[in-house]
Amino acid sequence: SFNVQVGGGTALYDAIVMACHDRMALSDPRAPTRRIVVLLSDGEDNASRNRLAMAEDIVASSGVVIFSIGTEISDRSRGKRVLDAISKTPGGAAFTDLSSSEVSKAFAQIRELMDSMYQVSFPPPSSSKGRVHALEIKAAKGAQFELLTREKVSFKAMASN
């Protein structure tokens, strides 16, 4: 158990930019690494230097997956729209309009989603540097499971060093 003091300013967008860009930046972007942020917030920001659009861009370009949990947020609030926007990257999800008793269920769902994530990587042909390509992933013939993708699957070929 821990104590949380409510009040003061919230620099949510700055925190997201710092987490994704500064704290979770990879030294080798080709290394298969799963980077996840679980954000517990009301989605409100009143103290950031960065704007929501910048935070969204940094999340999208960083490859960080964001799961947002918002408690007691109305379905039409700005906070809900912010959490939905921040969590829209591939693999992410927003759990909003929850009562305090539903928060533990959201964490359980996040754990299930995390446990089912896989990262696929391969070296693309050198002639495809900088181009975005569609990628089709299929389960092996006779597989005893169903393959589901939550998002459109594509990749951008990076320049090799």
Side-chain angles (χ1 to χ4, degrees):
S1 177
F2 57 92
N3 293 327
V4 177
Q5 194 149 20
V6 179
T10 302
L12 178 63
Y13 310 148
D14 289 349
I16 291 166
V17 167
M18 182 174 38
C20 295
H21 186 263
D22 300 343
R23 302 287 185 214
M24 296 186 137
L26 293 176
S27 57
D28 181 0
R30 295 167 297 191
T33 304
R34 184 169 58 173
R35 293 164 298 141
I36 295 172
V37 169
V38 177
L39 175 64
L40 185 60
S41 174
D42 62 4
E44 298 295 330
D45 184 309
N46 59 13
S48 284
R49 293 186 184 122
N50 290 293
R51 301 223 176 263
L52 175 59
M54 171 61 88
E56 288 178 281
D57 289 346
I58 293 292
V59 170
S61 66
S62 70
V64 173
V65 175
I66 298 199
F67 295 106
S68 297
I69 299 175
T71 59
E72 300 178 13
I73 297 175
S74 82
D75 203 33
R76 295 183 178 163
S77 75
R78 173 166 169 71
K80 179 185 182 333
R81 291 190 302 273
V82 166
L83 296 181
D84 287 342
I86 291 298
S87 303
K88 72 180 177 190
T89 58
F95 301 87
T96 56
D97 200 23
L98 304 175
S99 68
S100 297
S101 64
E102 294 172 311
V103 171
S104 63
K105 292 177 187 173
F107 276 108
Q109 285 181 285
I110 290 169
R111 179 163 182 179
E112 284 179 27
L113 290 169
M114 289 171 51
D115 287 346
S116 67
M117 286 181 173
Y118 290 88
Q119 181 168 344
V120 177
S121 64
F122 64 93
S126 60
S127 62
S128 65
K129 285 190 285 191
R131 294 188 359 226
V132 175
H133 304 273
L135 184 64
E136 184 175 5
I137 300 174
K138 294 181 180 180
K141 203 171 211 173
Q144 299 297 313
F145 60 89
E146 184 179 351
L147 182 65
L148 301 173
T149 56
R150 295 183 63 222
E151 301 290 333
K152 182 178 177 183
V153 180
S154 65
F155 72 95
K156 181 174 184 178
M158 306 296 272
S160 59
N161 292 343

